[in-house]
Amino acid sequence: MRRHRHAARLTLEQLAEASGVSARTLSNMERGRSRGPQHRTVTALADALALEKIAREQLIELARDGRLRDHWTRPTGLCELPRSVDDFTGRAAELAWTDDLMRAAASPGVAGVGLITGPAGLGKTTFAVRAAHALRPSFPDGVFFLDLFGMSPQPLAVDEALALLLRALGVADQQIPNDISGRASLYRSLLRDRRVLVVLDNAASEEQIRPMLPSGGGSRALATSRRLLAGLEGVRRLSLGPLPLLEAAELLTGILGERSASDGKPALTQLAQLCGGLPLALRIIGNRLVSRPDWSAAELAARLTDEERRLDQLSAGDLKIANAFGMSYEQLAASARRVFRRLALVPGWDFDATLAAVVGEISIEDAWDALDELVDLGLLQDSTSGRYRFHDLVRLFARDRLHKEDAEAERDALTETVTSWLLRMATTAGRWFEPAYGRPDRPDPDLADLSSSEEAERWLHVNADNWLGALRYAASSGRHAAVLDCATSMPWFSGWWIHAPHWREVFALGAEAAAALGDPVQQATQLNYRARFYLVHPADPETTLRYAAQALDLATRGGATAQIAWAHNYSGAALLRLGRLDEAAASASRAAEMFRANGDIDAYCQCLGTVGECLRGDGRHAEALERYLEMGDLAGDEGSGMTPSIAALTRPNALAAAGLCLGLLGRRAEAIVMFTEAISLFERFPLSGSQARCLEGLAAVLADENRTGESRRAYGRAAEVFEAVGDAEAAGRCRDLAAALR
């Protein structure tokens, strides 16, 4: 303006008179106090100065740019992005997700909004701030941060939040509309043609956050919330989880700085594990150690191993993990808080809505509602299978609330209720596989309905931690009859899940309960079951012999012929493992005679298998083959008297053993047929060592027949099954054999 006025040889007063613009306004423009005068002012000045087309357009354009700069110049300190922590660790994949979403071009009319959800203590805010700092160069028109106080008793009101954002965007107070819709409209219009990133932290609800989301254009929003905010449409979601152990230990090391070297990696790794990957817990622990140089990480880890005191230890100044959980807890309805506390009594790692209803003493429909609320606030984790679980530290918080808010008598009564329900469910499910039981004629109305053996099997599998925990509690509290009932219902089912790690404990508790009840026959029975599972990998045949001997003594004194026979059978199997073939064959043959005399064809077939193994081990392959073929025939004959479920398990084992003998006898074509049929039958059952050995036997015969490709595939599958059942040595052997064929 000054240059054009001087070129026209005009004073301020002369230009003011010619244009109708005051001399004061002209002075402010020339001194830079007014960089964006109104369009009509600029055109009046251009006319008065008789500017040519190019000079006129330039002046008008500069004024327009000045008005935009004035409009977007915001007071400092409003909605400033907090600093990013120097020791931020991990989250590489999540940061890449955020970067891609925030930088990508949005579809017409679609906002680029990322919603970050997760429970308390996971570092959602820290992550969002870190991502926003990294993204700042892509948003030249500003990066704004607003805490919505979603977990406080009074979250930030929508109209107040919009007013704060509008002020940060440079809108004067007198220009801010009075109503929410007006403020939201102005806010979105300001964002539409700009590149702005807005971080909306700690959102309480969809209603609170929806008016603050961009409606397209170049601006983006990152929002965080403990709630899932499932009602938000058109947003991309990122569920933040705990840090993996390696990254958790790395974060703790970064917080500790130089002193981490003296603390040692093992102690820091243990601390990271005890913190469950929660960044807040890791920061608390790190701050405690940094502020107390004389403490050692190992000593603090030892304190944290005490679950009763762990939450108290996870505090440093105003940082307390329990407070973070408590804010979510206070958001719950009273009924959901009650269910949350009581779920701490579930003995296993996870549970379903049916068990939650039992714990909460509510209907299944109310249980679903409570679980939904707990998941929505991040106090429970759910899965597609309909199972729920606590984070370890949240479980401790729930237990703490239970002890503080519920009377001891009420807790004890509820523990008894849950224990009883779980044991009765397990006993009923286990009896589906017992020949004398199956489906109960009159199901307990308190229990979940199991309408098939498949449903019973699934319940026992997915609730193994729960019913086993109930069994332990019942044993420790002297409920011997319930423990024995449960253990007695499991032997037949255990054959379907032979490699489960807990059967030795189940039957040990059963034997102890029988002893406490003064029942030597039941004690012998449980000891025989226990002996059986010391033959399963990893086998301990000496222990099998010891328990079988105890069972034989008790059964003999009690006149229990069946248990005497079983003790001989398991002794024979253990002696076979120890290479004492003659003794093994004698014990197994004696058991076979007793079982056949008693009409127990199921057990008789098992003894035939043991005798066959003794004969095969002694090189008497043809005689062994006869035993296995007899087993297979009995298992395949519906009129043999065998229990159908036992026959279904026995037949593939018999065919596989027969295949081994045929291969050893050089009858390889017949062996391949036997192995192939056995493998098809094994596919109906959970993976087992028997299936793996059958595959390995087939692979060996195929190799002898020079069918190399088929042999290699069979060895590979055998290795997979061996690996699945925990036999790493056999898995390695099969892989080596497969590699040798190449």
Side-chain angles (χ1 to χ4, degrees):
M1 276 301 305
R2 183 180 294 115
R3 178 167 57 82
H4 286 305
R5 181 172 62 80
H6 287 171
R9 300 180 180 276
L10 296 173
T11 64
L12 281 173
E13 290 75 12
Q14 289 172 328
L15 181 58
E17 184 178 353
S19 64
V21 178
S22 71
R24 182 185 180 90
T25 298
L26 289 169
S27 176
N28 285 339
M29 291 168 63
E30 290 192 2
R31 287 185 295 164
R33 289 187 176 181
S34 173
R35 295 188 175 189
Q38 294 298 314
H39 180 73
R40 63 176 178 273
T41 300
V42 179
T43 55
L45 290 169
D47 291 341
L49 291 166
L51 295 180
E52 298 290 339
K53 181 180 179 181
I54 294 177
R56 181 186 183 91
E57 290 177 352
Q58 183 187 47
L59 185 68
I60 291 172
E61 180 71 14
L62 288 170
R64 188 185 70 82
D65 289 346
R67 286 195 299 277
L68 288 173
R69 281 195 300 272
D70 285 348
H71 187 71
W72 284 89
T73 299
R74 57 189 174 89
T76 58
L78 286 180
C79 298
E80 282 289 335
L81 186 65
R83 70 180 181 88
S84 179
V85 294
D86 295 334
D87 49 31
F88 184 90
T89 303
R91 306 292 193 199
E94 293 88 342
L95 286 169
W97 178 90
T98 307
D99 188 74
D100 290 344
L101 175 63
M102 294 293 103
R103 295 182 196 271
S107 302
V110 177
V113 180
L115 175 61
I116 303 160
T117 60
L122 280 176
K124 296 181 294 298
T125 300
T126 302
F127 171 78
V129 168
R130 181 71 168 199
H133 276 286
L135 290 163
R136 189 188 286 274
S138 298
F139 295 94
D141 296 319
V143 177
F144 305 101
F145 179 92
L146 184 62
D147 188 347
L148 300 175
F149 298 98
M151 288 296 106
S152 71
Q154 290 186 323
L156 186 64
V158 177
D159 58 343
E160 292 180 40
L162 284 167
L164 286 170
L165 288 170
L166 288 170
R167 291 189 190 104
L169 290 167
V171 180
D173 284 354
Q174 60 270 25
Q175 295 177 322
I176 296 176
N178 293 324
D179 61 306
I180 292 176
S181 62
R183 292 180 180 186
S185 178
L186 176 59
Y187 167 76
R188 287 179 175 138
S189 69
L190 293 176
L191 296 189
R192 188 172 297 117
D193 297 324
R194 295 289 151 182
R195 291 284 295 174
V196 170
L197 174 61
V198 182
V199 180
L200 302 168
D201 187 48
N202 196 11
S205 66
E206 294 90 341
E207 292 78 7
Q208 183 192 37
I209 198 175
R210 191 176 280 117
M212 287 172 273
L213 301 181
S215 59
S219 293
R220 300 286 185 269
L222 271 180
T224 74
S225 179
R226 293 191 191 181
R227 295 186 180 275
L228 297 178
L229 304 186
L232 282 182
E233 60 284 333
V235 301
R236 295 280 298 279
R237 297 174 179 274
L238 174 65
S239 178
L240 218 57
L243 289 173
L245 182 58
L246 188 63
E247 291 184 2
E250 186 181 344
L251 173 58
L252 187 56
T253 301
I255 296 169
L256 293 176
E258 294 180 357
R259 69 158 286 172
S260 63
S262 60
D263 285 314
K265 187 175 180 179
L268 296 183
T269 301
Q270 185 183 9
L271 281 172
Q273 196 164 22
L274 289 166
C275 289
L278 289 189
L280 176 59
L282 292 162
R283 189 158 300 283
I284 289 171
I285 289 301
N287 289 354
R288 292 194 74 182
L289 289 172
V290 168
S291 63
R292 295 169 174 82
D294 295 335
W295 282 20
S296 78
E299 290 174 354
L300 185 54
R303 295 186 193 182
L304 287 176
T305 54
D306 181 0
E307 288 190 349
E308 299 300 325
R309 300 184 59 215
R310 190 176 302 170
L311 285 180
D312 293 335
Q313 294 293 324
L314 288 171
S315 63
D318 61 352
L319 288 178
K320 293 185 179 181
I321 196 74
N323 289 351
F325 299 149
M327 292 177 72
S328 296
Y329 179 71
E330 291 302 323
Q331 299 288 316
L332 297 170
S335 57
R337 287 201 296 269
R338 183 169 179 265
V339 172
F340 172 75
R341 298 192 304 269
R342 288 173 156 223
L343 284 171
L345 293 175
V346 173
W349 291 108
D350 62 3
F351 46 87
D352 59 12
T354 303
L355 184 52
V358 173
V359 171
E361 296 182 313
I362 54 179
S363 69
I364 188 72
E365 291 78 12
D366 289 341
W368 282 117
D369 290 342
L371 292 169
D372 284 346
E373 190 173 353
L374 293 170
V375 169
D376 188 51
L377 271 166
L379 291 170
L380 282 182
Q381 304 162 23
D382 65 346
S383 69
T384 55
S385 64
R387 308 286 297 176
Y388 300 81
R389 66 185 303 154
F390 283 112
H391 183 281
D392 289 348
L393 295 179
V394 178
R395 180 191 293 273
L396 295 180
F397 174 76
R399 185 189 302 173
D400 179 67
R401 298 318 310 163
L402 181 71
H403 281 265
K404 288 179 177 176
E405 298 184 36
D406 295 74
E408 182 178 2
E410 186 178 357
R411 297 196 306 268
D412 291 345
L414 182 59
T415 301
E416 291 295 325
T417 297
V418 174
T419 300
S420 172
W421 189 88
L422 285 168
L423 289 184
R424 286 183 291 126
M425 273 297 300
T427 302
T428 300
R431 283 177 176 164
W432 265 95
F433 303 89
E434 296 284 319
Y437 287 93
R439 183 171 189 167
D441 294 331
R442 286 177 292 182
D444 189 329
D446 294 338
L447 302 182
D449 182 37
L450 300 173
S451 58
S452 66
S453 59
E454 289 78 16
E455 287 187 13
E457 179 183 5
R458 184 180 183 279
W459 191 93
L460 288 166
H461 272 279
V462 299
N463 287 285
D465 289 337
N466 288 319
W467 63 258
L468 185 60
L471 194 70
R472 290 171 182 145
Y473 175 79
S476 67
S477 58
R479 297 182 56 187
H480 305 303
V483 171
L484 186 57
D485 279 349
C486 186
T488 302
S489 74
M490 292 297 166
W492 291 79
F493 171 69
S494 65
W496 291 67
W497 195 12
I498 196 76
H499 290 281
H502 52 255
W503 294 124
R504 295 178 183 182
E505 182 183 6
V506 168
F507 297 122
L509 293 174
E512 291 167 6
L517 293 168
D519 190 335
V521 173
Q522 278 293 345
Q523 188 180 357
T525 303
Q526 296 296 313
L527 286 169
N528 269 326
Y529 296 148
R530 194 176 187 189
R532 172 193 181 193
F533 279 94
Y534 279 93
L535 294 169
V536 177
H537 181 81
D540 183 357
E542 294 287 1
T543 301
T544 293
L545 283 175
R546 184 168 72 252
Y547 288 129
Q550 294 176 17
L552 180 61
D553 178 59
L554 288 163
T556 301
R557 282 190 278 154
T561 306
Q563 294 310 314
I564 293 171
W566 279 115
H568 284 305
N569 177 63
Y570 294 131
S571 294
L575 291 165
L576 173 63
R577 295 290 184 94
L578 294 169
R580 295 156 62 177
L581 300 182
D582 291 341
E583 297 172 81
S587 289
S589 296
R590 184 172 181 183
E593 292 169 6
M594 296 179 72
F595 283 131
R596 187 160 198 171
N598 288 342
D600 190 343
I601 305 302
D602 295 330
Y604 172 69
C605 277
Q606 290 193 37
C607 294
L608 283 178
T610 304
V611 173
E613 285 191 66
C614 293
L615 293 169
R616 192 178 76 221
D618 201 27
R620 297 156 66 180
H621 303 140
E623 295 175 66
L625 178 60
E626 291 178 11
R627 302 303 191 280
Y628 295 137
L629 291 175
E630 183 182 355
M631 280 178 67
D633 289 342
L634 288 169
D637 181 4
E638 294 182 0
S640 67
M642 285 192 74
T643 303
S645 59
I646 299 304
L649 277 171
T650 300
R651 184 162 173 76
N653 282 286
L655 294 176
L660 288 173
C661 288
L662 287 166
L664 292 168
L665 290 167
R667 297 158 60 179
R668 291 194 290 268
E670 296 173 76
I672 291 171
V673 172
M674 285 285 185
F675 281 132
T676 303
E677 185 179 353
I679 289 167
S680 68
L681 294 173
F682 274 127
E683 293 295 335
R684 304 175 186 177
F685 302 100
L687 298 179
S688 67
S690 297
Q691 181 181 1
R693 288 188 290 275
C694 181
L695 285 160
E696 185 179 10
L698 173 62
V701 177
L702 289 169
D704 289 340
E705 287 285 284
N706 293 318
R707 293 162 65 173
T708 307
E710 295 172 81
S711 175
R712 196 164 56 238
R713 288 191 292 273
Y715 273 130
R717 178 58 180 156
E720 292 174 0
V721 179
F722 274 128
E723 193 78 52
V725 301
D727 194 339
E729 181 181 351
R733 178 182 68 240
C734 289
R735 289 194 183 96
D736 290 343
L737 289 167
L741 289 171
R742 290 191 178 87

